[in-house]
Amino acid sequence: MIEGWLGSSLTVFVGVTGILTGFAAFMTGQAVAGTWKPYWQVVIYCALLGAAARFLGFALFQGVLWSLTGYLSSAAVLLLIGTASFRLTRARKMVCQYPWVYERSGLFTWRERHPDGSGGELTRT
């Protein structure tokens, strides 16, 4: 059942998508955020990494190459990893580069620092 939906076995999916291309998605999110590029680039790169994960599963482990659900699940997992990495890096860079303007308000967020110490609204990017 799950092999038909993923286009490969669960262990291949976790190994190829979760570990191998998941690391690439994590590094992609960091690179895009570290160079101040827009978020939509993470989406495009993770979509391409999803295709690469499908090809590796096909070429190395005899998975189904043209599995739409397999591709969508791979791309979704990679986009989740890339987005988390992008937000972590962007929040760290905002606080480290502009410490007089922003302070950390969570793992993925920052807010404006007020001189009176009252805090501020969350800044959306």
Side-chain angles (χ1 to χ4, degrees):
M1 167 83 179
I2 194 142
E3 288 182 8
W5 196 69
L6 294 176
S8 61
S9 69
L10 184 60
T11 55
V12 169
F13 181 81
V14 169
V16 171
T17 300
I19 296 172
L20 186 65
T21 53
F23 177 73
F26 185 83
M27 296 305 292
T28 298
Q30 277 190 336
V32 171
T35 55
W36 299 99
K37 303 281 188 197
Y39 171 73
W40 61 265
Q41 289 187 357
V42 174
V43 175
I44 291 172
Y45 293 142
C46 286
L48 292 172
L49 281 172
R54 292 299 323 139
F55 178 74
L56 288 174
F58 165 74
L60 298 175
F61 302 103
Q62 291 80 35
V64 179
L65 179 61
W66 300 109
S67 171
L68 180 62
T69 56
Y71 168 73
L72 292 176
S73 58
S74 292
V77 167
L78 295 172
L79 184 61
L80 181 69
I81 294 169
T83 299
S85 173
F86 177 84
R87 291 296 300 177
L88 281 169
T89 304
R90 180 63 56 96
R92 180 183 50 80
K93 284 189 68 75
M94 289 295 287
V95 172
C96 290
Q97 190 156 347
Y98 306 107
W100 63 93
V101 180
Y102 299 112
E103 63 186 1
R104 203 78 184 246
S105 63
L107 191 58
F108 301 110
T109 58
W110 62 91
R111 65 175 164 230
E112 287 188 33
R113 182 184 301 267
H114 291 281
D116 60 359
S118 64
E121 296 295 317
L122 291 180
T123 303
R124 293 198 171 94
T125 56

